[in-house]
Amino acid sequence: MVRNQAKNSDTIGGLARAAGVGVETVRYYQRRGLLQEPARPPGEIRRYGPEEMKRLRFIRSAQAAGFTLNEIKELLDLDASDDRARARELARARVAALDARIEELREARDALASLATACAGGGSGPCPILSAFERR
C-alpha cells in the first residue's frame, strides 16, 4: 500500500474507536452485509477509509432514529437503486412508530406524575406508587 493511502485509512480498531463502537460491532455489521470488509493486500492489514466511516455513521444514526438493522440494510440498498418512494415509505412508517411510542411515554409520564402527587398527599398505607407497580 502506498504510504499516503495508509495515512488516509485506518485499521478496524481505529474505525471502531472513531465511530464510538466496538470492533465486534463493526464485524457484526460486516456479517449482516451493512458494511463491506475491505480487501486485505498480501502481507498487510485491512484498511478502512472515509467511505466506511461515512457508512458506519449512517448505520449508527439510523439506529438512533429507531430503524432496525434489516430496515437499515434496505435503506442502504435503496440508496444504491435511488428508490425514493420506498425510502419515504420506510421513513413514514418509522415516524408513525415513533409517534405511537411518544404517546405511550406521555401516558406513562402522566400516570407516574399522578401517582407521585398522590404519594406526596400522605395518608395511611403503602405509597400509591408501590401499590400501582405491584398490580402489574
Side-chain angles (χ1 to χ4, degrees):
M1 178 178 279
V2 179
R3 258 190 208 278
N4 65 352
Q5 284 178 318
K7 288 180 183 177
N8 293 328
S9 62
D10 213 337
T11 63
I12 192 169
L15 175 72
R17 268 189 308 281
V21 300
V23 169
E24 286 307 313
T25 300
V26 174
R27 289 187 177 130
Y28 180 70
Y29 292 160
Q30 289 171 334
R31 286 191 304 273
R32 293 286 306 258
L34 297 168
L35 192 62
Q36 293 297 318
E37 186 175 42
R40 180 179 180 162
E44 296 187 29
I45 59 174
R46 288 183 176 88
R47 294 289 181 171
Y48 296 80
E51 284 304 310
E52 288 85 9
M53 176 56 74
K54 179 180 172 185
R55 192 168 185 123
L56 186 52
R57 285 188 176 139
F58 173 85
I59 294 166
R60 299 300 289 172
S61 295
Q63 279 185 309
F67 286 99
T68 65
L69 291 181
N70 287 337
E71 290 168 332
I72 293 169
K73 173 83 168 96
E74 187 174 356
L75 284 170
L76 290 167
D77 292 343
L78 289 172
D79 184 45
S81 69
D82 200 29
D83 186 351
R84 289 180 175 216
R86 178 64 182 143
R88 199 170 38 255
E89 181 182 323
L90 284 170
R92 286 182 177 149
R94 177 86 316 256
V95 168
L98 287 171
D99 287 343
R101 182 69 178 135
I102 288 167
E103 185 55 33
E104 288 174 9
L105 290 171
R106 275 195 188 113
E107 289 173 7
R109 180 192 166 280
D110 292 346
L112 188 55
S114 294
L115 288 170
T117 300
C119 188
S124 62
C127 173
I129 296 172
L130 301 176
S131 298
F133 288 139
E134 286 175 353
R135 286 180 273 179
R136 289 188 169 231

